[in-house]
Amino acid sequence: KSTKALVYEERVAKELELAAKIQKEILPKKLPEIPGLDLAASVVPAAEIGGDCYDFIPVTDSSGDYIIYIGDVTGHGVSSGIVVSIANALLYSFSQNGSLKGILENTNRVLKAKTSGNMFMTMLMLQWNPGGNISYISAGHPEMLHFSAKNKKVVAVPGGGIALGMFPDIGKSLEQKEFAMEIGDCVVLYSDGIPEMIAENGKDMYGLQRFKRALSEYAEISSA
């Protein structure tokens, strides 16, 4: 029995390792060179397989527009990783012929029909154009942080919306907004893994205020 248990444990560990490798392959292998932007991105999963993802998708038939998104599936582990894989493929497909709202509506429709009823995915999706304007829609994702180089202030850009996969139709909750980026400005997209991080004492939460202070302190260094 001990031998069988050990063999099973090793097999599961190998399968988790393979799943983690596949999930890593879904993330961009290198960041695109987008005129006017300096980019940095990272995912550190809480377990072998996480529920966070991001991507930079060039918009066809446009002059340098990019769709940028960050998503976070409830929980972590194999089930979350599978939903991430499905969502990533859907978003890549729908992004080539739709508005931000249309992309999220179509993705939500498929996720609701094809995934478990208790699996949801928050998402923040932006469209960047070389003129410096950012259009964005939030589907229940934490608000992004925007550092204004002119005012030397960090503001939390309002999010809103409903997570993907909760209801068959979330169109009424999706509101597209826009703001302008100035030279030297910095925008941070993140999942709740950062502000909800717990200190070693098991009590203190990192929190949004510390996060905003950190961005305010480091937003003007030389690179993203």
Side-chain angles (χ1 to χ4, degrees):
K1 285 183 178 179
S2 296
T3 302
K4 285 183 179 180
L6 183 61
V7 170
Y8 177 76
E9 186 178 330
E10 289 181 351
R11 181 165 64 85
V12 170
K14 280 290 183 184
E15 289 178 355
L16 284 174
E17 183 181 335
L18 179 59
K21 184 178 180 181
I22 292 171
Q23 187 178 38
K24 191 175 180 180
E25 289 293 314
I26 291 173
L27 298 174
K29 293 176 178 60
K30 67 175 184 177
L31 298 181
E33 294 183 5
I34 303 178
L37 291 182
D38 183 34
L39 305 173
S42 178
V43 169
V44 181
E48 291 91 341
I49 305 171
D52 292 354
C53 63
Y54 67 88
D55 208 348
F56 302 85
I57 306 172
V59 179
T60 56
D61 302 324
S62 74
S63 56
D65 284 27
Y66 266 81
I67 287 175
I68 303 169
Y69 76 81
I70 180 172
D72 180 14
V73 178
T74 50
H76 48 261
V78 175
S79 57
S80 297
I82 291 172
V83 175
V84 165
S85 300
I86 295 171
N88 182 272
L90 291 172
L91 291 163
Y92 203 88
S93 176
F94 292 137
S95 67
Q96 298 309 310
N97 50 16
S99 62
L100 295 185
K101 186 174 180 180
I103 295 167
L104 292 177
E105 284 184 302
N106 282 314
T107 301
N108 173 76
R109 176 175 49 81
V110 179
L111 285 178
K112 178 60 179 174
K114 295 295 183 181
T115 59
S116 171
N118 62 350
M119 298 296 293
F120 311 123
M121 185 177 197
T122 67
M123 183 161 291
L124 182 56
M125 179 173 283
L126 288 66
Q127 183 162 349
W128 158 267
N129 70 64
N133 288 330
I134 289 182
S135 301
Y136 72 96
I137 294 183
S138 173
H141 200 79
E143 54 206 352
M144 61 180 148
L145 301 183
H146 176 205
F147 172 81
S148 169
K150 181 179 180 181
N151 301 321
K152 310 295 184 186
K153 289 184 178 180
V154 175
V155 296
V157 181
I162 296 174
L164 306 178
M166 292 188 73
F167 302 103
D169 183 6
I170 61 170
K172 291 182 179 179
S173 77
L174 298 175
E175 182 182 358
Q176 182 165 322
K177 301 176 183 178
E178 187 175 297
F179 67 93
M181 288 276 283
E182 304 289 342
I183 294 174
D185 282 13
C186 180
V187 167
V188 177
L189 314 184
Y190 59 95
S191 71
D192 56 14
I194 293 182
E196 294 181 5
M197 191 161 35
I198 302 296
E200 291 182 356
N201 61 19
K203 298 177 182 179
D204 296 331
M205 188 178 290
Y206 183 63
L208 191 59
Q209 290 307 313
R210 291 185 192 181
F211 194 15
K212 290 170 72 174
R213 285 200 301 270
L215 176 58
S216 179
E217 184 175 351
Y218 300 117
E220 295 184 284
I221 60 178
S222 60
S223 72

